[in-house]
Amino acid sequence: MNRIPLQREEPPTWDWAYARSLLPDLLEGLWITVQIAVLGMGIALVLGLALAIARRTRLKIISWPVGLVVEFIRSTPLLIQLFVIFYVLPNYGVRWSGFVCGVVGLGIHYACYASEAYRAGIESIARGQWEAATAINLSRRQQWTSVILPQAIPTSLPALGNYLVASFKDAPLASTITVFGVLGTAQSITGRTFRGLEPYTMAGLLFLAVSVPAAILARNLERRYGYERT
């Protein structure tokens, strides 16, 4: 019996015209991804600071539950948290759009990580700083705003900068809850055309185009405020 040799399918070659035609859709998806990441990190920075302060309170009825929630969220995948917010909460009357769910989910997730960065910065402050602030009769609020946080936040900047970059990489998970960012757009194009070289390559380059400037910004902030503290 004669065997007919199988023909090997040649890998696709890069098509510049096709790649340029995809750019508008991918840029639109990138803008959605950037919005989710930036808004989510905005929530994370504020909520994370509140969580860090709450964990340091002497009231166990506050610090223990907050600590348990922080550890639970840090120990579970962001994808599951997005599913809970988008698919489970509507059963209890909380109905948000996919975009809002993505922002809130990312914000809460990284708030728990940011809280640990803040907490490390706060605990790095020498005890004498607290005692000196108490000795000059500063209120508790003044101690935090005028003495502790101006020293603790610069110490936390390296970790917070890393979380900012990581948030850009996690934001595409919102595609699982009907929000098509740059990666979701690339997947959709590939599913329609069965050609993934250009969409995925360009999606990766666009991620690089926003992640590198974010990393540079975080590094510059670290240098600037680290210098002012010394």
Side-chain angles (χ1 to χ4, degrees):
M1 182 177 179
N2 294 329
R3 293 180 177 272
I4 301 175
L6 296 176
Q7 293 182 350
R8 292 188 60 184
E9 195 173 318
E10 293 295 328
T13 57
W14 182 268
D15 187 338
W16 284 104
Y18 178 59
R20 285 193 295 270
S21 70
L22 301 178
L23 193 56
D25 289 339
L26 290 173
L27 286 174
E28 184 177 349
L30 179 67
W31 173 236
I32 294 174
T33 298
V34 169
Q35 289 182 82
I36 292 175
V38 171
L39 293 175
M41 276 306 298
I43 293 174
L45 293 176
V46 176
L47 180 59
L49 182 58
L51 292 173
I53 295 174
R55 290 195 70 176
R56 286 187 55 86
T57 182
R58 295 187 180 92
L59 298 175
K60 301 299 183 182
I61 196 173
I62 296 177
S63 61
W64 283 11
V66 169
L68 288 174
V69 169
V70 168
E71 294 304 323
F72 175 78
I73 292 178
R74 291 175 69 234
S75 302
T76 54
L78 173 59
L79 184 60
I80 292 179
Q81 296 163 19
L82 291 175
F83 282 166
V84 169
I85 295 173
F86 188 73
Y87 293 110
V88 177
L89 291 187
N91 296 328
Y92 300 93
V94 180
R95 291 179 175 83
W96 292 329
S97 67
F99 181 84
V100 173
C101 288
V103 170
V104 171
L106 193 73
I108 294 175
H109 184 79
Y110 276 100
C112 295
Y113 284 94
S115 71
E116 291 301 292
Y118 284 129
R119 192 159 68 99
I122 292 170
E123 291 179 353
S124 70
I125 305 301
R127 186 172 182 82
Q129 297 283 332
W130 294 91
E131 295 172 350
T134 303
I136 60 176
N137 293 324
L138 292 181
S139 66
R140 194 66 174 174
R141 180 182 63 82
Q142 290 174 323
Q143 290 179 19
W144 280 104
T145 58
S146 301
V147 179
I148 304 304
L149 292 182
Q151 299 180 73
I153 290 178
T155 305
S156 308
L157 282 177
L160 296 176
N162 290 335
Y163 297 147
L164 174 62
V165 175
S167 69
F168 283 109
K169 295 186 290 185
D170 282 341
L173 289 176
S175 63
T176 60
I177 53 173
T178 72
V179 181
F180 285 91
V182 62
L183 182 58
T185 302
Q187 290 173 330
S188 177
I189 292 171
T190 303
R192 294 196 310 267
T193 63
F194 299 101
R195 185 180 179 95
L197 175 62
E198 291 86 356
Y200 286 123
T201 301
M202 293 182 66
L205 292 174
L206 289 174
F207 270 121
L208 197 64
V210 296
S211 296
V212 170
I216 294 173
L217 174 62
R219 195 69 62 86
N220 288 338
L221 289 174
E222 177 187 345
R223 288 173 180 169
R224 176 182 177 184
Y225 289 100
Y227 175 78
E228 287 183 354
R229 190 183 176 191
T230 58

